[in-house]
Amino acid sequence: MSQTFYKKGFLALAVSAALGVSAFAQADIKFGVAGPMTGANASFGEQYMRGAQAAADEINAKGGVNGEKIVLVKGDDACEPKQAVAVANRMVDQDKVAGVVGHFCSSSTIPASEVYSDAGVIAITPGSTNPAVTERGLSAMFRMCGRDDQQGIVAGDYIVDVLKGKKVAVLHDKDTYGQGLADATKAQLTKRGVTPVLYEGLTRGEKDFSAVVTKIRAAGADIVYFGGLHPEAGPLVRQLREQGLKDVKFMSDDGIVTDELVTTAGGPQYVDGVYMTFGADPRMLPESKAVVEQFRKSGYEPEGYTLYAYASVQTLAAGFTGAKSTKGEDAAKWLKANAVKTVMGEKTWDAKGDLKVSDYVVYQWDKDGKYHQLEKQK
């Protein structure tokens, strides 16, 4: 050890002692929060940030994680895979995050998670449902949501059993998430004896769906299922209604769980009656009551993925606290062996990082532009 280093170390100890501060006080622990903070899907990024920040504030008020305060680092991937990788590299190399809540679009989560895995950083996604997220053998990749192959079964069964669909048009946005979910739903429909009369891809960012509406009309579809997000779902359902297909039922997925669907559709009159699949509403759980009330007092309704992000931060904190470590691999091992009490109830994960219990149900939008969970069919 050089004399210069020794003198500097001694001086630091002396200053710390004089200030009454431990020389070995721990630094903050950083959690990245990654998703679409800008762009067409920014409403989901806002849900992530609001939920994550509220959880971090609560945990910090109770002493933090192993004595360290949680500091959140925002990462905007705009649901673009290349940008997601850049965000991941920055969080690992520059921000030195210990864990990540993210991403949102599966097409972003999949490549970004490779970066986290190589760096030994644990990640948990509140909203990426494509099976490939947890099927690649990454030991520290988790979900707070279900999978497309689970969600697609619920959607397909509901279309057959409840909506009595005979001629179903299946559409998707050509993205990893949207097409994956459309394919899962199509597979379940086929299994139940309903072969889709139309299977068509849209382009994300498109606004004019006249051509596909014409195909839907020609196919005589009584139900349209769309795998994708609200920026395309809104204009699509509006154009169906405006072009005379008012009696055709419209169903989508957890990519439209935001009030922005009403905006992109052009008003609540166009989303009235729209069905969608999503996890059972966490706002209705007794575990979330106090947190939901706090959000509402602040003037914010914790819709969509807000509580999913909240629970994800709770999960990361529990993993690091339980493992008594800041290493992602240690936290991951602990989480796969222990249950975690969250704002969404008690959660457990399997060896892949998937939830052991998935709770997809069906919702319906009303004339006021609000969505409500429907009773489970027996």
Side-chain angles (χ1 to χ4, degrees):
M1 181 186 293
S2 71
Q3 279 198 311
T4 300
F5 182 87
Y6 179 83
K7 288 177 181 178
K8 286 182 178 179
F10 183 81
L11 180 61
L13 287 169
V15 171
S16 296
L19 293 174
V21 179
S22 169
F24 302 100
Q26 293 176 308
D28 296 328
I29 184 168
K30 293 182 179 180
F31 290 172
V33 182
M37 306 301 171
T38 60
N41 296 296
S43 58
F44 294 119
E46 181 183 9
Q47 292 173 11
Y48 271 28
M49 284 305 304
R50 284 183 181 269
Q53 190 61 65
D57 290 344
E58 181 194 32
I59 294 168
N60 286 341
K62 295 179 179 178
V65 177
N66 297 324
E68 300 180 9
K69 296 293 185 182
I70 298 172
V71 173
L72 300 183
V73 179
K74 183 192 292 189
D76 177 20
D77 66 19
C79 270
E80 294 292 340
K82 289 183 180 179
Q83 193 164 323
V85 171
V87 165
N89 279 311
R90 191 205 77 204
M91 285 188 169
V92 167
D93 298 332
Q94 181 178 319
D95 299 315
K96 307 295 183 183
V97 299
V100 173
V101 174
H103 295 224
F104 178 68
C105 290
S106 295
S107 55
S108 291
T109 300
I110 291 170
S113 61
E114 299 284 352
V115 177
Y116 303 134
S117 180
D118 289 345
V121 172
I122 185 173
I124 180 165
T125 173
S128 292
T129 54
N130 189 278
V133 169
T134 50
E135 289 288 349
R136 293 163 296 141
L138 304 185
S139 59
M141 182 73 235
F142 292 78
R143 288 187 223 258
M144 187 54 68
C145 55
R147 296 164 47 124
D148 290 341
D149 44 9
Q150 298 165 333
Q151 188 174 182
I153 291 172
V154 172
D157 285 346
Y158 197 86
I159 289 171
V160 174
D161 296 331
V162 183
L163 301 183
K164 306 300 181 183
K166 301 297 182 184
K167 294 185 175 182
V168 184
V170 177
L171 310 177
H172 60 80
D173 63 359
K174 301 179 184 176
D175 186 67
T176 304
Y177 161 72
Q179 185 166 357
L181 188 45
D183 288 346
T185 303
K186 178 173 176 281
Q188 185 63 11
L189 287 170
T190 302
K191 182 178 179 181
R192 294 296 309 277
V194 177
T195 301
V197 294
L198 179 66
Y199 178 76
E200 190 82 10
L202 312 176
T203 300
R204 284 174 64 180
E206 248 186 280
K207 298 302 177 190
D208 182 2
F209 300 114
S210 299
V212 75
V213 171
T214 298
K215 291 182 180 180
I216 292 169
R217 188 196 309 279
D222 51 14
I223 294 175
V224 171
Y225 179 85
F226 175 64
L229 304 169
H230 70 273
E232 289 73 43
L236 176 59
V237 72
R238 175 174 181 163
Q239 288 169 48
L240 281 170
R241 304 301 178 234
E242 288 181 335
Q243 295 181 39
L245 300 181
K246 296 180 179 180
D247 295 329
V248 174
K249 296 180 176 68
F250 188 91
M251 188 174 195
S252 192
D253 47 46
D254 53 3
I256 67 169
V257 188
T258 168
D259 288 343
E260 285 296 308
L261 175 68
V262 180
T263 303
T264 59
Q269 69 272 30
Y270 295 109
V271 303
D272 186 18
V274 167
Y275 297 91
M276 68 182 183
T277 46
F278 189 42
D281 195 340
R283 294 173 296 183
M284 298 169 66
L285 297 173
E287 293 93 335
S288 72
K289 184 178 180 181
V291 172
V292 170
E293 287 178 354
Q294 282 298 113
F295 272 118
R296 288 173 175 166
K297 283 180 182 178
S298 72
Y300 178 75
E301 180 60 35
E303 64 166 352
Y305 295 92
T306 305
L307 297 181
Y308 283 70
Y310 194 111
S312 295
V313 170
Q314 289 179 309
T315 298
L316 290 180
F320 288 120
T321 300
K324 295 181 174 57
S325 169
T326 55
K327 293 182 179 179
E329 290 295 338
D330 293 341
K333 288 179 183 177
W334 189 91
L335 288 174
K336 289 176 182 178
N338 295 274
V340 176
K341 291 182 178 180
T342 79
V343 72
M344 293 176 59
E346 186 172 270
K347 300 295 183 182
T348 54
W349 293 266
D350 63 19
K352 295 179 181 178
D354 284 318
L355 288 171
K356 289 185 178 179
V357 177
S358 173
D359 59 356
Y360 282 115
V361 294
V362 177
Y363 291 74
Q364 189 172 29
W365 289 78
D366 64 22
K367 61 182 177 60
D368 298 317
K370 301 297 179 184
Y371 62 83
H372 306 278
Q373 182 175 320
L374 300 178
E375 292 292 328
K376 286 188 177 181
Q377 298 296 313
K378 295 181 181 180

